[in-house]
Amino acid sequence: MLFYLCFGLSFLLFFTAVQTEADEPSRVLAAKLFFFAVFLFTALRSPEVGNDTIQFYNAYSRIREIPWTERGSERYEAGFFALCKLLGMISPHPQTLLFFTAWMISFSVSRFLRLYSRNVSLGCLLFLFLNLWAVYMNLMRQVLAMCIILFFLESLLKGRKMRFFFGVFLASLFHRSAWICLIMLVMYGRRFTYMTAVFFVPFTLLCFWQYDKIFILATLLLNRYSGYISSERFGGSNYFGMLLNVCVCLAILLYGIFLRRRDAKSSRQVQEALPADFQLYMLLCCLFCYILGTRMYILSRVSPYFTIFYLPWLGMEKPLVQMEEMPLRSLDGKISGKALKRCYPLGPFAVVFISMIYFCVIHFFRPEWQGVVPYRFFW
């Protein structure tokens, strides 16, 4: 855990030493430096880092040895099978798969932040301390699917819905759960109202009560997940973890609403590249998945498609470094001019500090949840 803390604190010092939100080149530099480091440590990690990493490590070795015609012998989707076969032609070492997925994660999330977050430096730190990076080192196929969705999200924002639908189809070739992202087609462009929030509560309670019937209905579309009905994990074995995720998601949702209301009352209100209503809908979808995840753990596996919106949602917070005008006074007390003063707003540092505590509590008391602590290199 000390490794990740040192990593995060190093970039926190860098971001506070440099005006990373002052101009576009600085924003790009901040994101590129941070995610280049993320790429290196994700790619060079041992297969022991991440509960599911060893599973994909071994799958890579198996898949590259079997012919294309025997794809049915593996339970993985066609896209992941093809990826392992193609990478296997380049190198027999399973670390090749980790290098590719590390590049996909770094490129996609970095691009997402630069396009849609007003506070790139804060988003980088929260990517670590809100455990998004830890999750991405586990759910390889879902994360590959999510990276494709993030790439095609720009098409949705430009109104090219068929192109976005194609992106969802392409993502489903890596993990079938990507079909849930079709909800973005429905939600985009809709205005969020109080009636939506009022409807969300009874709908979620109804689904929570009838979760078994809803899951059975879902398996009609995704038959391969029917086995979870009788498994030990179906029924929510990790209640505490899911409840904690519910609280974190709800806190982020409410704090983001507070930030937008604060900006609405001030002169610093700026149009968001990613509509606030759309982000709010995505966070409600995330909250819904976590609430039902207390009854059926498998549903929490689709949450990475929505937790990524934590970053632009909290990106409304003030920069870590802010330049403000300071009046200069002469000896007689009269204002003789103005100068720029460097200041450090409390808000973003409080967000980083609280998320850091959350990160430490999770990985100190429940390191088995993601298995990324301690960090080890593959050699």
Side-chain angles (χ1 to χ4, degrees):
M1 188 171 68
L2 186 60
F3 169 83
Y4 297 101
L5 283 177
C6 292
F7 178 84
L9 290 173
S10 298
F11 274 96
L12 176 61
L13 291 174
F14 172 76
F15 292 148
T16 53
V18 180
Q19 284 183 261
T20 53
E21 307 304 321
D23 50 54
E24 188 60 26
S26 297
R27 284 164 49 84
V28 172
L29 177 64
K32 285 186 175 180
L33 285 177
F34 181 86
F35 281 99
F36 177 70
V38 167
F39 163 74
L40 288 179
F41 292 126
T42 305
L44 298 175
R45 76 185 190 273
S46 163
E48 298 174 0
V49 177
N51 293 328
D52 294 346
T53 306
I54 190 65
Q55 168 191 328
F56 299 113
Y57 212 75
N58 295 332
Y60 179 86
S61 299
R62 292 197 312 271
I63 291 173
R64 63 176 298 273
E65 295 293 339
I66 63 178
W68 290 85
T69 54
E70 295 183 16
R71 186 181 71 82
S73 63
E74 293 287 335
R75 67 183 184 87
Y76 302 111
E77 289 83 355
F80 183 76
F81 184 90
L83 176 64
C84 291
K85 292 292 291 182
L86 292 173
L87 292 178
M89 297 176 184
I90 300 173
S91 171
H93 201 292
Q95 204 70 28
T96 309
L97 180 62
L98 300 192
F99 266 86
F100 179 81
T101 53
W103 175 79
M104 284 286 289
I105 291 170
S106 303
F107 172 78
S108 299
V109 180
S110 172
R111 179 177 179 272
F112 178 76
L113 273 177
R114 287 186 280 112
L115 287 177
Y116 305 121
S117 178
R118 288 172 54 191
N119 197 333
V120 170
S121 54
L122 180 61
C124 291
L125 295 170
L126 293 179
F127 177 75
L128 167 63
F129 291 129
L130 287 179
N131 277 319
L132 271 64
W133 187 17
V135 171
Y136 292 0
M137 285 194 283
N138 275 280
L139 307 179
M140 184 179 291
R141 290 179 297 138
Q142 287 98 319
V143 170
L144 287 173
M146 185 210 66
C147 291
I148 295 172
I149 296 294
L150 292 184
F151 181 80
F152 282 92
L153 184 61
E154 190 174 4
S155 299
L156 178 62
L157 300 183
K158 292 180 179 179
R160 300 172 182 172
K161 294 186 177 182
M162 287 304 300
R163 188 174 179 181
F164 179 76
F165 180 86
F166 171 75
V168 174
F169 167 74
L170 195 63
S172 71
L173 297 179
F174 289 87
H175 203 278
R176 296 184 187 183
S177 62
W179 286 113
I180 199 172
C181 292
L182 288 179
I183 199 170
M184 296 181 185
L185 278 172
V186 180
M187 297 303 183
Y188 182 72
R190 288 182 177 273
R191 186 178 178 185
F192 187 87
T193 64
Y194 285 108
M195 287 304 298
T196 306
V198 171
F199 173 76
F200 175 79
V201 175
F203 177 75
T204 303
L205 291 176
L206 176 64
C207 294
F208 184 83
W209 176 41
Q210 297 291 332
Y211 75 98
D212 52 343
K213 294 181 176 61
I214 293 172
F215 190 81
I216 291 171
L217 178 64
T219 56
L220 295 176
L221 300 174
L222 301 171
N223 185 56
R224 71 181 299 168
Y225 294 104
S226 58
Y228 282 97
I229 294 176
S230 57
S231 72
E232 293 181 2
R233 304 190 86 176
F234 182 78
S237 57
N238 190 4
Y239 287 106
F240 177 74
M242 288 300 101
L243 285 174
L244 186 59
N245 285 330
V246 168
C247 294
V248 170
C249 183
L250 186 59
I252 289 172
L253 190 151
L254 294 176
Y255 187 66
I257 292 174
F258 163 77
L259 291 176
R260 283 156 181 79
R261 286 191 173 182
R262 182 193 66 184
D263 278 12
K265 296 176 181 178
S266 67
S267 58
R268 70 185 291 267
Q269 187 175 7
V270 179
Q271 185 74 21
E272 293 186 75
L274 197 60
D277 289 343
F278 178 69
Q279 295 182 61
L280 190 49
Y281 276 118
M282 294 302 98
L283 291 184
L284 282 180
C285 290
C286 182
L287 185 60
F288 177 83
C289 291
Y290 280 142
I291 291 174
L292 263 67
T294 61
R295 302 301 300 271
M296 47 183 183
Y297 178 77
I298 187 61
L299 188 60
S300 66
R301 289 294 185 106
V302 303
S303 61
Y305 298 115
F306 306 115
T307 53
I308 187 67
F309 291 95
Y310 285 175
L311 307 183
W313 183 250
L314 293 177
M316 290 290 290
E317 185 55 272
K318 295 178 181 178
L320 295 169
V321 181
Q322 210 170 16
M323 303 301 290
E324 292 185 351
E325 287 187 343
M326 178 183 66
L328 295 177
R329 299 180 181 274
S330 58
L331 294 175
D332 58 1
K334 294 181 179 180
I335 297 177
S336 59
K338 292 182 179 180
L340 288 177
K341 179 185 178 183
R342 191 180 178 94
C343 65
Y344 304 91
L346 178 62
F349 284 96
V351 171
V352 171
F353 180 70
I354 293 171
S355 62
M356 191 185 303
I357 293 175
Y358 165 72
F359 178 88
C360 292
V361 168
I362 293 295
H363 292 286
F364 184 80
F365 292 102
R366 289 291 185 269
E368 71 277 6
W369 283 358
Q370 276 122 17
V372 298
V373 173
Y375 179 88
R376 300 183 183 90
F377 291 101
F378 77 92
W379 54 78

